[in-house]
């Protein structure tokens, strides 16, 4: 739980959200917002936005911790904003799980796309092989064109082998998804 006055001084701080940020009550109460939360510049901006009368819910994080906070303006009897109150929750583990899930979904989507592309590419290569074979058998073409067709066939064969190797690497059933 938090409280800040309009001069951006921490007037109250207690709870697990504080501990998750690596802070203790004695370290923060009476101190300027921008000093206490220097590692969380978005949190500072959110408190300032709440000072304008906005009620907001946000999640901020640094390298080690993610904190979800609800901030509301605190008003006196005349309706004037005298500060901000807030409640924070440590959501670090949820963010880690969310990140792993998103990465897994991306890995699966990439594997499926590459698999489709290599399958389609292989189908196209097979059609080109058939067409170039038929052309090279034609009696109405010169030996130079026949040699060029054979070169194109060799290039397509090499490209098809590359596509097969790529397909083997990212086969959705063999893909090692990140934990």
């Amino acid at each position: 739980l938090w409280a800040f006055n309009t001069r951006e001084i921490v007037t109250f701080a207690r709870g697990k959200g504080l501990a998750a940020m690596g802070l203790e009550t004695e370290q923060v109460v009476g101190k300027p917002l921008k000093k206490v939360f220097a590692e969380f510049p978005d949190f500072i901006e959110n408190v300032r936005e709440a000072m304008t009368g906005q009620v907001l819910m946000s999640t901020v994080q640094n390298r080690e911790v993610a904190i979800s906070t609800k901030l509301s303006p605190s008003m006196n009897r005349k309706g004037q904003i005298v500060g901000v109150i807030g409640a924070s929750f440590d959501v670090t583990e949820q963010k880690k799980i969310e990140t792993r899930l998103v990465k897994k979904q991306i890995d699966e989507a990439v594997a499926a796309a590459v698999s489709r592309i290599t399958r389609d590419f292989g189908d196209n290569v097979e059609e080109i092989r058939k067409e170039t074979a038929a052309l090279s058998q034609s009696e109405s073409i010169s030996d130079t064109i026949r040699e060029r067709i054979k070169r194109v066939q060799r290039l397509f064969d090499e490209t098809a082998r590359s596509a097969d190797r790529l397909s083997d690497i990212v086969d959705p059933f063999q893909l090692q998804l990140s934990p």
Side-chain angles (χ1 to χ4, degrees):
L1 298 174
W2 309 100
F4 309 93
N5 65 23
T6 55
R7 292 178 297 146
E8 297 183 357
I9 302 296
V10 180
T11 58
F12 182 84
R14 289 225 170 71
K16 292 181 181 178
L18 186 67
M21 294 172 113
L23 301 170
E24 296 178 14
T25 300
E26 303 78 38
Q27 292 176 286
V28 298
V29 173
K31 305 285 189 312
L33 175 70
K34 64 183 176 183
K35 250 187 190 171
V36 174
F37 299 102
E39 289 186 46
F40 297 91
D42 291 342
F43 184 80
I44 295 168
E45 288 306 310
N46 292 338
V47 171
R48 289 176 176 159
E49 191 173 333
M51 292 277 187
T52 69
Q54 300 291 318
V55 174
L56 58 127
M57 182 79 171
S58 67
T59 301
V60 297
Q61 62 187 89
N62 66 8
R63 284 177 237 147
E64 299 154 13
V65 66
I67 302 292
S68 181
T69 304
K70 181 173 183 180
L71 296 166
S72 300
S74 177
M75 298 183 191
N76 63 17
R77 292 179 189 212
K78 296 178 185 176
Q80 299 167 322
I81 296 173
V82 295
V84 170
I85 57 172
S88 294
F89 305 93
D90 182 357
V91 293
T92 305
E93 285 306 310
Q94 291 91 325
K95 283 292 182 183
K96 286 179 183 176
I97 291 167
E98 182 181 300
T99 299
R100 284 193 303 265
L101 178 60
V102 168
K103 181 160 181 12
K104 180 181 177 185
Q105 290 170 335
I106 290 170
D107 288 349
E108 289 172 348
V110 167
V114 170
S115 179
R116 273 193 313 277
I117 290 167
T118 55
R119 183 186 62 239
D120 292 348
F121 184 79
D123 292 347
N124 291 339
V125 166
E126 194 55 41
E127 285 300 312
I128 291 169
R129 278 185 187 141
K130 289 177 187 174
E131 291 298 320
T132 55
L135 277 173
S136 67
Q137 300 302 319
S138 174
E139 293 179 17
S140 62
I141 61 170
S142 70
D143 287 342
T144 303
I145 292 179
R146 188 171 279 110
E147 286 305 312
R148 285 187 154 177
I149 289 171
K150 287 180 183 179
R151 183 169 185 266
V152 167
Q153 286 173 322
R154 284 191 303 273
L155 290 171
F156 271 107
D157 288 343
E158 181 56 35
T159 304
R161 283 190 291 278
S162 294
D164 288 342
R165 287 190 298 269
L166 180 60
S167 181
D168 290 343
I169 292 169
V170 295
D171 184 302
F173 299 105
Q174 296 175 10
L175 183 68
Q176 294 295 320
L177 298 174
S178 303

